Amino acid sequence: MAQQVIQQAVAAIAAQMEENIDKEINRLDNLNEDDLESIRAKRMAEMRKRQEKSKEWIARGHGEYQEVMTEQEFFKVMKGEERMVCHFYRENWPCKVMDKHMGLLAKRHLETKFVKINAEKSPFLTERLKIWMLPTLALVRGEKVEDYVVGFTELGNTDDFDTELLEQRLAKSEMIDYDWPAARPKALAGPGKALRKGGKTTASDEDSDFD
């Protein structure tokens, strides 16, 4: 009985999707020259707007993965940013792995600023933001930290993860613009916010203190 209900529900969803596709095809088939010109003009305007925005982002230091040298500079760099990802690091292997991926994503996503700061030299920030494990990414929106990526737990719990996995994790928190694939990776299933605690880690993966 339960299997039959599931099959009926799946069939209903498939039928609705097919109907929506048919409607979209019909709409496109009935577009006239004025409609097509309007669509082209709209897309051109969007491209020009994106181009102007890109120039503004580059002028603000986007496109490069930069180090923030002091806590005072952190607040200066953060001011006015819509989205910023800050890597709290120390000189160790896991943080160097995170550096590699952050550098790649900084070039790929001009819409977001990517920076790093030495946690050992930033006691006020690490205490205020409750940074307890390294590496940790603080995800900042509108000058407020809204989420964290703590260690590699959400990235397959390995230092050999693909950049795309971190890219999708940031997209999950709406930190970057991203076109999701049809099937979302299992590692990114579940709630959008990261848990600050939980999940087993080892000393070889991340550092849980600043000693």
Side-chain angles (χ1 to χ4, degrees), residues 63-109:
E64 297 182 9
Y65 179 43
Q66 302 175 342
E67 179 162 11
V68 176
M69 302 308 296
T70 66
E71 293 179 309
Q72 291 79 9
E73 186 183 355
F74 172 87
F75 291 103
K76 181 179 179 181
V77 167
M78 180 179 65
K79 187 175 182 179
E81 290 294 338
E82 294 179 12
R83 295 180 285 190
M84 185 177 85
V85 180
C86 182
H87 173 203
F88 283 82
Y89 81 98
R90 67 177 295 179
E91 294 296 335
N92 63 11
W93 172 249
C95 291
K96 290 184 185 299
V97 170
M98 189 64 79
D99 279 339
K100 178 189 73 171
H101 297 292
M102 290 280 284
L104 292 172
L105 292 178
K107 292 179 173 61
R108 192 178 298 176
H109 292 280

Side-chain angles (χ1 to χ4, degrees), residues 112-168:
T112 302
K113 177 171 282 189
F114 290 82
V115 300
K116 67 176 181 177
I117 189 168
N118 191 313
E120 295 176 313
K121 298 179 181 179
S122 311
F124 173 76
L125 282 174
T126 55
E127 174 65 23
R128 179 174 178 178
L129 300 179
K130 296 180 174 59
I131 305 296
W132 61 279
M133 180 179 288
L134 301 177
T136 284
L137 304 183
L139 311 186
V140 184
R141 287 174 61 88
E143 302 182 26
K144 294 182 180 180
V145 177
E146 292 193 349
D147 200 0
Y148 298 85
V149 179
V150 181
F152 297 153
T153 304
E154 296 183 86
L155 304 171
N157 214 21
T158 175
D159 61 7
D160 193 29
F161 62 89
D162 291 333
T163 303
E164 285 71 23
L165 193 58
L166 176 57
E167 184 176 31
Q168 290 167 349

Side-chain angles (χ1 to χ4, degrees), residues 31-43:
L31 289 177
N32 57 37
E33 191 62 32
D34 290 340
D35 293 328
L36 293 173
E37 184 60 34
S38 176
I39 291 173
R40 281 194 290 266
K42 183 179 180 180
R43 288 180 177 173

Side-chain angles (χ1 to χ4, degrees), residues 1-17:
M1 183 64 179
Q3 184 65 27
Q4 184 179 0
V5 171
I6 293 173
Q7 290 176 347
Q8 290 175 347
V10 171
I13 293 172
Q16 183 62 49
M17 291 178 63

